Amino acid sequence: MSTTSLLVIAILILATLGYFLASKRAISTAGGDRRKLHSLPVYYGSNAAMFTAIPALGVLLIWLLAQPMLVEQNVLSTIPDKLITEGSSIGLVMSDVRRVADGLEVVVSTGTLSQNETLKLDTEQTDIRALLAGVGAVVGSDVLPEVLEAAQNYRAQTKTGQLWMVLIIAPLALIGFALSVLAAKPTFRARNTVERGILALLVFAASLAILTTIGIVFSMLFESINFFKLHSWTDFFFGGSWAPNFRGDSDLSILPLLWGTIYISITALIVAVPVGLFAAIYLSEYAGPRVRAFAKPLLEILAGIPTIVYGLFALLTVGPALVRVFGRGEEGLLGVEWMSGATAVLTAGLVMGIMLIPFVSSLSDDIINAVPQSLRDGSLGLGATPSETIRQVVLPAALPGIVGAVLLAASRAIGETMIVVLGAGAIAKFSANPLEAMTTITTRIVSQLTGDTDFASPETLVAFALGLTLFVLTLGLNVIALYIVRKYREQYD
Amino acid sequence: MTDAIQKPEKKKSSLLQLDARTRTRNAAEKRFKAYGMIAIAFGLLMLSILVFNIVTRGAGAYQQTFVALEVELLAGKLDKKGNRDLDDIKKISTFGYTPLLSNALEAKIIELGIETDLKAKKMVGILSKSAAAQVRDYVLNNPNKIGETIGFEFLASSRVDGYLKGRVSRDSIGNDKNISPAQLDLVDALKAEGCLAKRFNMSFITGSDASDARPEAAGMGTSMIGSFFMMLVVLVLALPIGVAASIYLEEFAPKNWITDIIEVNISNLAAVPSIVFGILGLAVFINYMHLPNSAPLVGGLVLTLMTLPTIIISTRASLKAVPPSIRDAALGVGASKMQSVFHHVLPLAAPGILTGTIIGLAQALGETAPLLLIGMVGFIASNPPDSIATGLLSPNSAMPAQIYEWAKRADPAFYERAWGGIIILLVFLVTINTIAVILRRRFERRW
Amino acid sequence: MNDKNIMESHMGTTAIKISARDVKVYYGDNHAIKDVSIDIEDKTVTAFIGPSGCGKSTFLRCLNRMNDTIDICKVTGSIRIDDEDIYDRRVDPVQLRAKVGMVFQKPNPFPKSIYDNVAYGPRIHGLAQNKADLDDIVERALRRGAIWNEVKDRLQSPGTGLSGGQQQRLCIARAVATEPEVLLMDEPCSALDPIATAQVEELIDELRQSFSVVIVTHSMQQAARVSQKTAFFHLGNMVEYGETGQIFTTPQDPRTESYITGRIG
């Protein structure tokens, strides 16, 4: 068992011990009379457990996150430059080093060699690669002496780090334990302390949302910066072609992808907005309760279906059906040869539109229902027909909200992945023909980041720049849409 | 004042007669209403086409063609030394077993009096490539049976299976190397004799994925376990964190700009494309923290981050629905704010929180895009995990990722598996959502 | 003033605008109106009074079939306007409502300009030949709504920007613009302050010259001030109907008396 898990278990045992000791002590210092205590005994116990475990575990977590980074930094500075210039990258060398180091640890733990023996290993005398393969650790190529040295260095530093970790964290837990058990006296306001601790946990949970956003932005920003160091940003934003080439010198421009994304999204919205809007109007203004109770949940099923299902539907049902209509020459329904493959803008757009119908309709439904009944009464009372009332009073009043809903739907369409991965195709081009295959930002992110990836080549890193652009694009749409919808709701609240 | 406004001459019209204008207006009204009905009908039509497609195309995956054969486990082939030593027997690879299969088939054909001019090697082509492995596994488990004749049920190859299901026809196999009309004749004859038949295929539900050449052996079981472990991670992390965050925001947070930022942030996170969470997972969990690729733990972590906003939003709604009088009542008897929340508000909001969490889980269960980026596709998830730790850490697939994997393999036999997999996925989703609906109905409170 | 009312109502007896017989209204299982029969005269202000929930508003909404918009509402009996049954199958509620305008409890101007608010009715009913004609109709309606002088300089600003009293007069102008023959008012002053109420009441008195006005009010003083005839509703029944002066001074029914003297309601 690793040092870390032993440490965690020790801390938890200590915390449990603290819980019982402190609540016992609280009662006994109060002379066995619980009424003399400021708080319930449970709180004294919880207080002790909290002070023993939380600071120690918190430091441990930070330590675990920070140590590999620091060790890596140190080891990295010792790696000679010549290793890196030989057609590889720092990242690759480092991952080799890590793999060798981890492998050697496994060698020790399985008992193949002792700790001292591994330290004396030499590339000249032992086939390290075979040794590691013997315990199931696979290294891509023969282990160079420099790599082995770095790996030994890595192991040594990790060891030292772990030693310090135990030396710091164990006393921390013990101090917390001692202080909190000693503090368990009737006058001590245990409940208030515990509650403050719980509040801190709650705040931490709430700030995770912010951390996620920061994580998203930074993870993509750093790699995007790396990408722009390798590839000109003018070509990325303003170039005209997308042709990744894993031998280097690729054209990596976002514009053709953006065009495909927007074209498919607009096709989807052309399907989803009228259908969704009219469905919402019918359900909220015309349908009787029975139709509503039946049609509304059924339509909402469309929203609960996973996108992979829609992707398959596009690839295997809608695409071939469209080919039967628009393709196959003489054999086709129209006798034309306009569409050759099942993947096309129309295929993906149509299916995405179907997926978005319930999204648009339920948002519009909310918004139409927020229009006060008095406005409808006013219009009907003047002798307007229901449709005149809807078109001339309800919809204009609901317009901002509906615009917000459409923007939210657009943001969904732009960020949708599975339908376009399976239904849109992989060809990046500027074309206005909806029966041709085109590709989108999301499909390219998937294709650049799956399979063999090399995080030092622009062809892989471009995915992060694409991701960042996608994030900014959808975030912008969402912020505007949520702002409009919120303003609209306030108007009738 | 009224003198200035004289009433214009107005024709006296009867209410009982529709004037022309009203008639056109009513026609417009009818048209408008019809648009609405068409919209609903379109949506429902698409839903029914989708469901019809899934059911008709996926049902095939639950039936598979099997061939019943008696295989003589020739001692001369399997155990040349005759000492029944397991290590020696292990040295015989699956290739060594293929002759046994062709012998068995030939024997069957002669026994049934079927005429065919197929060579023995070609005959074996109607069996799945996993048939030899099946015999080998049996022999390795029962070495004492060597020399006996044992009855086996083998999977037929995917082409034969497709032929029985109508997916493959004699016209469509023109250029197919894997099957010939003569083999189909043999299949027809064996089918007529009853030793080749379709039956329910449990191993599609419980089995593992299989390589490209053996679609007939592929199953959803292992990826189901992968999904299960991911959902476990999501539940264990997202529920407590989500509830804690909601309690803070709803009950304790001061109304200031920091809280505002957190709130705006959460509603925006809920609308961030799922693939962006995949990029986050790849960059942070795999590239930075060096968690293992393709591990359900990583998938679970990514899906947790993705589901958190959904859970927070629904939890806050349920907390908000608890009337303030409950809090006042608790505070009034001297409970602390924290006690009033944990003893009174939270239990009352629990059904709503649970429903929201379940719906969030359902969403996470069907999510595919982020899983592609953390490597949960592109390999064959063939070994079911044997412990919780390997379940969390060893590479696995997940149900939607497995479906995507099959969809990519561009073989109609795998397409059938993909649709069949969708049925399983949807059964899970329907069950989960039904539980949510029942919970909501059961515990719904009106204040 | 009473003398004048009596005189006019005598004139009015010759012109019955609305005649309701045995009207029953059900909301699902709830029997909201029980056998109401009433004759409402032309060029008269008729007030419906009674405690909350007595069915006066429900009955008012039957007169232009606004209850049609509520699914569970069912109306039986006959209501005839100018001797035509408005619940006849051949009657289009749209045409009926053009003839029987309505003003609601809460001012409900559309979120459009003042001009468009008033022009809305004439536009949908096709009352104007051209733009100038429409301008004319809008001006006339706003003058009759006694709000022209306040808004003539800002016809294009939104109707929702006016004060509560102005909004309600705008809504009256909007109703008047379609040239109805009957004007129904459902507690038109309940959301207004006393000054705005006084303005609207004055306006109602003027409108009487062109329309038959039916007003629902929970304020007895208001009924006494603006109406010539009054009907008292109680628990879904129309208890008493007669000259306003007579209802308030010598009510025939003990329930009316109790209400007027403040013992019920």
Side-chain angles (χ1 to χ4, degrees), chain B residues 1-8, chain C residues 136-137 139-146 148 176 179 206 210:
Chain B
M1 186 174 132
T2 40
D3 297 334
I5 317 150
Q6 63 184 133
K7 204 174 162 182
Chain C
D136 227 35
I137 293 175
E139 181 179 340
R140 203 162 49 224
L142 285 170
R143 279 188 194 281
R144 275 162 116 178
W148 172 252
V176 167
E179 297 293 344
E206 278 170 26
S210 344

Side-chain angles (χ1 to χ4, degrees), chain A residues 275-292:
Chain A
V275 175
L277 194 56
F278 269 106
I281 289 172
Y282 186 82
L283 286 178
S284 62
E285 306 282 328
Y286 287 107
R290 242 179 307 153
V291 176
R292 223 188 339 257

